[in-house]
Amino acid sequence: MILVLSILASVLVWSLLYGFKFAIVLITSIFIHEFGHFYWMGKEGIKNKDMFFMPPFGAVARAKEPWTSYGAELRIALAGPTAGLLSVLLFYSLWLVHPNDIFLASIFVACIINLYNLTLPIAILDGGRVVKSV
């Protein structure tokens, strides 16, 4: 329930800031990225977890128990950007079927989200988790 409410709040905030189309693109890209972390936490045996959006900052997939190992933390950190590639492929496929500028912009937004998360070695972002676990 918190996830759904936080998604609706994010769509509202981002719609007011940049328009509805951009809000949907951004929320979809962030959701797919964070779901990658959330899904992989389950694969690593983490059962107590949740996911929610924090408008206008983004979203968090949170483990409520310790990582099982540094290797698990590394795999979970990389799962977000890996899943994020799916949003790039989704938007690219939509652009192939219906060549519209919104889908090209969507590809760019999804790439930026994943690169930003992975390349910055900040503790709460994926890059920081990768550096810490390595």
Side-chain angles (χ1 to χ4, degrees):
M1 185 60 145
I2 291 174
L3 177 60
V4 172
L5 291 175
S6 66
I7 288 173
L8 292 173
S10 289
V11 169
L12 176 66
V13 168
W14 286 108
S15 292
L16 291 172
L17 292 172
Y18 296 106
F20 183 72
K21 286 182 184 179
F22 180 79
I24 296 301
V25 165
L26 186 64
I27 299 307
T28 301
S29 297
I30 293 172
F31 179 83
I32 292 171
H33 176 101
E34 290 302 324
F35 187 77
H37 297 304
F38 184 82
Y39 173 79
W40 205 262
M41 284 178 202
K43 297 286 278 182
E44 294 291 342
I46 296 172
K47 302 215 183 317
N48 194 7
K49 60 191 188 295
D50 65 356
M51 188 169 104
F52 56 91
F53 280 75
M54 301 176 307
F57 302 109
V60 174
R62 176 177 63 170
K64 296 181 180 180
E65 56 191 74
W67 306 113
T68 55
S69 68
Y70 285 119
E73 183 177 12
L74 176 65
R75 290 185 294 274
I76 292 165
L78 293 174
T82 302
L85 285 174
L86 294 176
S87 64
V88 172
L89 294 173
L90 168 70
F91 294 133
Y92 181 68
S93 299
L94 290 170
W95 180 77
L96 287 175
V97 172
H98 184 70
N100 189 314
D101 289 345
I102 188 68
F103 297 127
L104 284 179
S106 303
I107 293 166
F108 178 75
V109 167
C111 287
I112 291 298
I113 288 169
N114 287 294
L115 287 173
Y116 174 80
N117 263 287
L118 190 57
T119 59
L120 293 178
I122 299 171
I124 60 170
L125 298 178
D126 301 338
R129 295 238 179 243
V130 168
V131 168
K132 177 185 166 216
S133 61
V134 169

